[in-house]
Amino acid sequence: MKTLIQNYTSALSTEPMYINRCLTETGFESVLWTEPNISAFDAFDYTKPDLFIGHYKFLTQDIVKYLAGNKNVSLALNVTGANEQELEQIENLVELGVNMPLVFSNLYQPTATFKTKDVKFVHLYPAADVFLPINNVPEYSVDNCILTIEDGPLTQEVKKDKESYHVFSFNGGSGYADFELDVASMTSFYQRYKTIHIAGDINLATSQVLFDSMLKAKEVKIKVPENQQQKLDEILSLLFVETPEKKDLKDILRDQIKTKHNCFRRVARLFRSLKIKEVAQKMEEISDKL
């Protein structure tokens, strides 16, 4: 089996990169489509995939045309962010002849407003990317690091009683932050701070940043708008389970991320939903050893 993966990496997600890496690390053929100037027909004809994983925002007419004419290539489409009308249009791809066994979303049940009606819909939560390298950064230690996407009331609230802090923004061109970067680059900075504060909308607070930071930082605190706190609590209760272990809570959560919320576990879920059991089983075996 061979997989072609569209590079829909964003400031808050390395999902296509870690799906590709999980596959190649376990001996399955996979190609990450990173060159946007290559035409869809050239990309498909060159790689000859059995499965194409992409994002609805980058689904071009040429991609649809190729898939409609090549039913031996199945499509697993990330529909995170799609509204009701867009999901209806996505479902129409099946009528055009596209072999689309499922769509998936990185949103959690409490925050997923819309779903497909006739095509299988899978929740594929964000995950800790175990492949992200820690690059060399200057040696320093600061008490607080505030992760945000805007200089709004929540950011100001976290800042107000802090004497020592840096603000990191995942929104390029913000102008208010000490650093502007993405989730991959942030990996190199977690250990430079005593406490990481994630301040913002629930979609930021429960993104890949949550898992990467809790796995790699010394301490993580989350601040969301008051009207989103209940949903945040619901999501956290979905992700983490109580345990009788007599360990520090941080260590318990870190252990659960390693075993249940790593990228191998997420890729296993995707391929089990696609009924490709060989890949799913291999991913699960590796996840159990992390």
Side-chain angles (χ1 to χ4, degrees):
M1 190 203 74
K2 191 171 188 179
T3 305
L4 175 63
I5 305 171
Q6 194 175 40
N7 187 19
Y8 54 88
T9 300
S10 70
L12 296 177
S13 174
T14 59
E15 181 180 79
M17 295 171 61
Y18 66 63
I19 293 176
N20 177 66
R21 186 72 181 273
C22 285
L23 288 168
T24 56
E25 288 289 324
T26 49
F28 297 99
E29 287 190 272
S30 179
V31 176
L32 185 63
W33 182 0
T34 57
E35 180 48 69
N37 293 325
I38 295 178
S39 73
F41 286 88
D42 287 343
F44 281 99
D45 288 340
Y46 178 75
T47 57
K48 295 180 172 57
D50 303 293
L51 170 67
F52 175 62
I53 299 175
H55 197 288
Y56 87 97
K57 289 184 178 180
F58 307 107
L59 198 64
T60 65
Q61 290 184 346
D62 282 348
I63 293 175
V64 172
K65 186 176 181 180
Y66 184 93
L67 293 174
N70 293 270
K71 293 181 176 57
N72 58 313
V73 184
S74 55
L75 168 66
L77 192 65
N78 187 320
V79 296
T80 305
N83 59 35
E84 189 173 16
Q85 183 179 4
E86 288 169 328
L87 285 177
E88 290 177 0
Q89 294 173 348
I90 289 166
E91 287 196 280
N92 289 337
L93 295 176
V94 177
E95 296 180 8
L96 296 175
V98 176
N99 176 11
M100 186 170 62
L102 62 78
V103 299
F104 62 96
S105 172
N106 302 135
L107 296 180
Y108 303 81
Q109 282 94 332
T111 58
T113 306
F114 307 110
K115 292 185 180 180
T116 48
K117 298 175 182 177
D118 300 315
V119 176
K120 185 176 182 180
F121 187 100
V122 175
H123 288 279
L124 194 71
Y125 299 157
D129 188 340
V130 301
F131 300 111
L132 292 178
I134 296 178
N135 299 316
N136 291 328
V137 297
E139 289 285 343
Y140 67 89
S141 178
V142 175
D143 288 340
N144 299 283
C145 172
I146 304 170
L147 304 181
T148 186
I149 56 174
E150 63 176 352
D151 192 24
L154 291 178
T155 304
Q156 297 300 322
E157 186 176 343
V158 174
K159 287 165 59 175
K160 68 181 181 181
D161 61 346
K162 308 292 186 301
E163 294 183 2
S164 173
Y165 64 84
H166 283 153
V167 177
F168 282 69
S169 174
F170 294 107
N171 186 9
S174 63
Y176 63 84
D178 299 296
F179 299 91
E180 295 177 352
L181 37 59
D182 56 26
V183 66
S185 302
M186 187 63 213
T187 300
S188 302
F189 292 91
Y190 286 124
Q191 282 295 312
R192 295 290 183 263
Y193 300 88
K194 294 180 181 178
T195 304
I196 300 293
H197 302 266
I198 303 175
D201 179 85
I202 195 169
N203 290 324
L204 167 66
T206 58
S207 68
Q208 183 180 324
V209 176
L210 171 68
F211 300 98
D212 284 345
S213 63
M214 292 184 72
L215 184 62
K216 296 160 185 171
K218 298 171 184 175
E219 183 178 7
V220 178
K221 295 183 178 180
I222 305 172
K223 187 73 174 177
V224 297
E226 186 175 347
N227 62 356
Q228 295 181 351
Q229 185 62 50
Q230 183 177 348
K231 282 189 176 181
L232 175 62
D233 292 340
E234 289 180 49
I235 291 171
L236 294 178
S237 67
L238 284 173
L239 296 172
F240 303 106
V241 296
E242 293 186 19
T243 172
E245 294 179 90
K246 293 182 179 180
K247 296 172 63 175
D248 186 272
L249 180 59
K250 290 182 292 185
D251 293 329
I252 292 174
L253 297 180
R254 189 174 290 118
D255 288 344
Q256 291 189 22
I257 289 174
K258 284 181 180 178
T259 57
K260 297 182 179 181
H261 304 299
N262 63 73
C263 50
F264 281 102
R265 185 68 65 181
R266 294 295 190 265
V267 178
R269 174 170 171 74
L270 175 61
F271 278 83
R272 193 162 290 284
S273 299
L274 287 164
K275 299 181 180 180
I276 306 176
K277 295 181 180 178
E278 180 186 6
V279 175
Q281 184 175 348
K282 187 67 174 179
M283 299 296 167
E284 289 164 355
E285 290 173 358
I286 294 179
S287 174
D288 291 339
K289 296 176 183 177
L290 292 177

